[in-house]
């Protein structure tokens, strides 16, 4: 297996140009998102979806930033969200057909010729990334440009990003670089700067696509402490087994208890 | 009577313009909840058919076998129609994947559907005119075995097998094999049936939907109870009341199990269980509870009265269906409001980062 590849999205230098969204759509030939006017800042895609594999969030904050004595300054956060390519990926775990698989780059990809559109991956994802395209019937999400990676190219979004807010590379290198960056930002007074999804100890075993955020994750529409749902699967089967046995026992009781009166 | 429970203080949380964090289940109505009902109906009907066969209730056994086969077949049809690509239905059996309850469930349903169909075919074939000198199929009425229904039933199985052995060289042919194959398949549905009725609880609990995932302890019991009520009701409706005593008992026990499991679920989940109490899901769940409790009580007192039996059976069937529709709707509501995703996770993080503040976090959310 090749080295694990990933995305490091440094939102502190995102300028909200949406070049990533456009490059993703062009390279992957994704249908449009419906041209919705969301009336929430400059966001007109709203959320990641079957045809939106990069989504730029715009958060306008009117609270003052206490930096350089410039009181009352508004803050504008921008962040390009993407599939996290989890170490423990719920979508991949629950897929009944084997359409979702893990590539040699340790990314998670849907095989569209196998997916039968059962829709199980959709509510299983703790980040709400993967979705079913209703006119097509199959589930779709970011492939981290599997085809480009096979050709030795970086994914389209990272290639197009003008500020290098989206960085692509071996995950270990990205983690080290992100650690340096967050340390420097904090030293510069950005005390709220934090990494999100970089830790292999989190509920999904660490994300293959992680972020540097300037506020709490939920502000960006990200879950603060996601956990892969299949972590509890053995316990779920135990409870289901107990319930099945209870049903068998109750049915037996019903027959043996009323046997005399038949 | 107050329709609303005590007000839960509005949860303090931040979000991205109030948008959901996770995607809501995209499964459709009526397909998915009706399948949940039919799977439960089929599964517990199989358990009932096995017990009816063993204890010598032939009329009830026939109804239960038919309900088991019909429930599995119709349910599989609904599942196929639910797919984004129905033509790829067989991809469900492309792999066996223990990490996917839907993969495990597809194999369970395939086994249940096939076995329950053979069980019905065998039962119907036993009605055909017999030519060979075969031991009586149901010796349960005769001799000392009559006092021990289970022993009589086992004797029936054995005599069937014995009759087959004696007849093999004869002209009985495949049709002669069917009753024995049917009984063997029926016995096997004693295993696949209860799994069919409960795996669906694991299926929906194994998602990121808070109201489903956090309920993984109670949902299997809720589903098992709902399945018993559904199967008991179907067998009550499809069997002359004089022969349906055990079906009434199954229905009443199921109604009790479903009601208790539902109460425990809502109480333990607290804030996360709110979607089961509010909005459309709340209305569906309340209607389900009234129908299930009412139908269960009627099943207890119905006895051989035709009207009461019919009322009870219909109420329990409707109650089981309402429960399944309510569960799907609660899951959708739970996913649609980011507070159910964000608040518990934020509380967990806060408790981890400063254990002494855990009690404060709890006080901010007295609903839990």
């Amino acid at each position: 297996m090749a080295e694990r590849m990933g995305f490091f999205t440094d939102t502190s230098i995102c300028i909200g140009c949406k070049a990533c969204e456009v490059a993703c759509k062009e390279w992957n030939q994704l249908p449009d998102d419906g041209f919705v006017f969301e009336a929430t800042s400059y966001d007109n895609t709203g959320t990641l979806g079957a045809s939106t594999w990069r989504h730029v969030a715009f958060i306008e904050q009117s609270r003052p930033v206490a930096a350089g004595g410039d009181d009352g300054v508004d803050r504008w956060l921008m962040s390009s969200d993407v599939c996290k390519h989890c170490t423990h990926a719920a979508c991949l775990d629950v897929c009944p057909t084997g359409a979702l698989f893990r590539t040699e780059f340790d990314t998670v990809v849907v095989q569209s010729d196998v997916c039968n559109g059962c829709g199980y991956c959709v509510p299983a994802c703790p980040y709400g990334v993967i979705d079913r395209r209703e006119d097509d019937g199959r589930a779709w999400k970011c492939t981290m440009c599997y085809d480009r990676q096979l050709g030795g190219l970086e994914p389209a979004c990272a290639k197009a990003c003008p500020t290098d807010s989206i960085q692509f590379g071996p995950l270990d290198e990205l983690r080290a670089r992100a650690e340096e960056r967050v340390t420097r930002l904090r030293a510069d007074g950005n005390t709220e700067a934090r990494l999100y999804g970089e830790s292999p100890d989190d509920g999904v075993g660490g994300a293959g696509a992680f972020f540097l955020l300037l506020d709490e994750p939920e502000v960006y529409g990200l879950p603060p402490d996601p956990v892969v749902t299949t972590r509890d699967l053995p316990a779920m089967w135990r409870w289901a087994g107990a319930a099945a046995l209870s049903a068998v026992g109750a049915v037996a009781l019903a027959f043996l208890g009323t046997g005399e009166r038949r | 009577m107050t329709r609303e429970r005590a007000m839960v203080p509005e949860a303090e949380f931040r979000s991205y313009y109030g948008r959901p964090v996770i995607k809501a289940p995209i499964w459709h109505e009526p397909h998915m909840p009706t399948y949940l009902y039919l799977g439960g109906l089929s599964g517990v009907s199989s358990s009932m058919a096995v017990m009816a066969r063993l204890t010598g209730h032939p009329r009830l056994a026939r109804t239960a076998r038919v309900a088991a086969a019909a429930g599995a077949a119709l349910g599989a049809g609904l599942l196929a129609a639910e797919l984004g690509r129905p033509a790829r239905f067989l991809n469900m059996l492309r792999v066996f994947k223990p990490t996917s309850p839907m993969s495990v469930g597809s194999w369970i349903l395939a086994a249940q559907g096939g076995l329950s169909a053979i069980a019905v075919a065998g039962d119907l074939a036993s009605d055909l005119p017999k030519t060979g000198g075969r031991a009586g199929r149901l010796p349960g009425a005769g001799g000392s075995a009559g006092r021990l229904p289970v022993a009589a039933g086992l004797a029936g199985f054995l005599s069937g097998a014995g009759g087959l052995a004696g007849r093999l060289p004869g002209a009985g042919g495949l049709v002669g094999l069917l009753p024995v194959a049917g009984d063997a398949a029926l016995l096997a549905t004693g295993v696949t049936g209860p799994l069919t009725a409960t795996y669906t609880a694991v299926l929906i609990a194994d998602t990121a939907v808070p109201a489903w995932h956090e309920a993984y302890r109670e949902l299997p019991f809720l589903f098992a109870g709902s399945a018993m009520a559904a199967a008991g009701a179907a067998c009550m409706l499809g069997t002359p009341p004089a022969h349906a005593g055990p079906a009434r008992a199954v229905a009443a026990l199921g109604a009790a199990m479903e009601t208790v499991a539902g109460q425990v679920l809502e109480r333990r989940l607290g804030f996360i269980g709110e979607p089961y109490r509010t909005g459309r899901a709340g209305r569906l769940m309340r209607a389900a509870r009234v129908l299930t409790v009412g139908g269960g009580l009627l099943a207890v007192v119905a006895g051989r009265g035709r009207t009461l039996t019919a009322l009870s059976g219909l109420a329990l069937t409707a109650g089981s269906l309402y429960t399944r529709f309510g569960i799907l709707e609660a899951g959708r509501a739970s996913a649609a409001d980011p507070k159910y995703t964000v608040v518990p996770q934020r509380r967990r993080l806060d408790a981890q980062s400063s254990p002494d503040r855990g009690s404060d976090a709890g006080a901010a959310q007295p609903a839990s």
Side-chain angles (χ1 to χ4, degrees):
Chain A
M1 186 182 263
E3 210 169 1
R4 182 170 186 185
M5 305 303 276
F7 281 133
F8 166 43
T9 307
D10 180 353
T11 71
S12 69
I13 49 172
C14 177
I15 56 172
C17 68
K18 299 189 195 176
C20 51
E21 285 191 18
V22 175
C24 175
K25 273 213 184 295
E26 291 204 342
W27 180 263
N28 294 297
Q29 300 188 316
L30 301 183
D32 69 70
D33 314 279
F35 302 103
V36 184
F37 176 58
E38 300 281 352
T40 55
S41 193
Y42 279 95
D43 185 352
N44 52 11
T45 44
T47 175
L48 289 173
S51 304
T52 310
W53 298 354
R54 272 277 177 190
H55 162 241
V56 181
F58 292 78
I59 301 119
E60 291 171 60
Q61 293 182 332
S62 54
R63 61 190 180 140
V65 176
D70 192 6
D71 216 6
V73 175
D74 290 350
R75 186 163 77 144
W76 202 0
L77 303 176
M78 284 152 277
S79 163
S80 179
D81 195 9
V82 70
C83 170
K84 314 302 176 292
H85 295 275
C86 307
T87 306
H88 305 304
C91 59
L92 190 158
D93 282 348
V94 304
C95 174
T97 62
L100 275 150
F101 78 113
R102 192 170 294 281
T103 70
E104 61 269 45
F105 306 108
D106 244 349
T107 53
V108 180
V109 174
V110 191
Q111 302 172 85
S112 53
D113 55 337
V114 176
C115 175
N116 67 3
C118 75
Y120 199 6
C121 51
V122 176
C125 173
Y127 302 95
V129 169
I130 195 164
D131 204 357
R132 192 165 72 180
R133 213 175 273 162
E134 281 315 314
D135 57 349
D136 163 288
R138 293 172 294 182
W140 299 91
K141 74 169 193 69
C142 162
T143 68
M144 208 180 270
C145 284
Y146 186 39
D147 50 351
R148 289 176 63 93
Q149 284 201 56
L150 286 173
L153 298 170
E154 67 177 323
C157 56
K159 182 78 180 171
C161 181
T163 66
D164 254 357
S165 168
I166 299 172
Q167 300 173 29
F168 168 78
L171 195 58
D172 292 341
E173 280 177 31
L174 293 178
R175 281 176 176 158
R177 202 183 304 165
E179 204 57 57
E180 272 173 39
R181 173 72 181 157
V182 78
T183 308
R184 214 182 84 202
L185 280 172
R186 284 201 189 122
D188 288 352
N190 287 297
T191 51
E192 285 198 87
R194 73 201 68 197
L195 296 180
Y196 175 80
E198 92 295 355
S199 168
D201 302 324
D202 69 15
V204 299
F210 66 100
F211 301 80
L212 187 153
L213 304 177
L214 297 176
D215 205 333
E216 288 172 340
E218 52 264 44
V219 171
Y220 297 87
L222 297 164
D225 186 25
V227 174
V228 59
T229 181
T230 34
R231 193 187 65 179
D232 297 320
L233 189 55
M236 292 178 201
W237 280 121
R238 281 196 291 277
W239 283 88
L245 287 177
S246 303
V248 170
V251 169
L253 190 72
F255 275 85
L256 299 178
T258 53
E260 297 301 311
R261 287 186 284 117
R262 84 192 132 91
Chain B
M1 203 174 96
T2 55
R3 286 191 54 190
E4 298 294 329
R5 303 239 176 144
M7 282 288 289
V8 177
E10 204 48 51
E12 292 261 333
F13 74 105
R14 304 171 74 191
S15 73
Y16 183 67
Y17 299 103
R19 284 187 162 277
V21 172
I22 59 169
K23 294 269 188 287
I26 53 177
W27 296 314
H28 301 122
E29 286 177 359
H31 305 66
M32 187 266 199
T34 307
Y35 166 67
L36 295 179
Y37 161 80
L38 289 172
L41 169 73
S42 171
V44 174
S45 290
S46 285
S47 298
M48 291 178 66
V50 171
M51 283 308 295
R53 176 71 179 81
L54 290 175
T55 57
H57 289 77
R59 298 290 295 268
L60 187 50
R62 164 71 55 90
T63 310
R65 285 191 203 219
V66 171
L74 288 174
L78 282 179
L79 284 190
E82 169 85 300
L83 295 176
R85 290 282 173 109
R88 295 184 181 179
F89 180 63
L90 283 177
N91 279 12
M92 285 294 184
L93 305 181
R94 183 176 168 267
V95 290
F96 176 77
K97 223 170 133 182
T99 61
S100 168
M102 194 181 280
S103 170
V104 174
S106 296
W107 286 101
I108 291 174
L109 182 63
Q112 168 74 4
L115 291 168
S116 59
I118 297 173
V120 165
D123 200 34
L124 296 178
S126 69
D127 284 355
L128 295 176
K130 297 178 183 71
T131 50
R134 208 181 137 200
R137 273 199 80 246
L138 280 172
S144 61
R147 298 182 58 107
L148 289 169
V150 176
L154 281 176
F157 275 115
L158 292 176
S159 69
L164 171 78
R167 215 169 63 257
L168 266 184
L174 275 179
V175 176
L177 272 172
L178 265 175
V180 181
D183 278 352
L186 179 67
L187 263 191
T189 62
V191 177
T192 58
L195 294 175
T196 306
T198 51
Y199 92 84
T200 42
V202 179
L203 178 87
I204 67 164
D206 193 30
T207 59
V209 177
W212 287 352
H213 182 93
E214 298 306 317
Y216 71 79
R217 294 173 181 82
E218 292 87 1
L219 277 178
F221 287 92
L222 182 73
F223 278 27
S226 182
M228 285 173 61
C235 290
M236 277 164 69
L237 293 173
T239 314
H243 299 275
R248 290 191 291 271
V250 169
L253 286 172
M257 190 193 284
E258 178 182 344
T259 306
V260 171
Q263 295 283 354
V264 173
L265 184 154
E266 285 185 20
R267 209 150 289 171
R268 193 178 65 81
L269 256 54
F271 165 66
I272 296 174
E274 212 174 67
Y276 292 106
R277 299 190 293 269
T278 53
R280 178 165 174 258
R283 288 195 294 279
L284 286 168
M285 295 302 281
R286 278 192 292 276
R289 188 146 312 158
V290 170
L291 288 164
T292 302
V293 170
L297 290 175
L298 276 178
V300 172
V301 300
R304 298 186 176 189
R306 283 184 183 278
T307 315
L308 286 184
T309 298
L311 277 178
S312 168
L314 291 174
L316 287 171
T317 300
S320 183
L321 276 165
Y322 269 90
T323 297
R324 311 313 187 124
F325 278 79
I327 296 273
L328 173 61
E329 188 60 29
R332 288 175 174 169
S334 172
D337 192 329
K339 73 179 171 186
Y340 300 120
T341 305
V342 170
V343 171
Q345 294 188 17
R346 175 53 58 195
R347 251 191 263 164
R348 195 161 65 212
L349 282 181
D350 290 348
Q352 278 167 16
S353 60
S354 53
D356 50 302
R357 273 181 50 203
S359 56
D360 291 355
Q365 284 294 325
S368 62

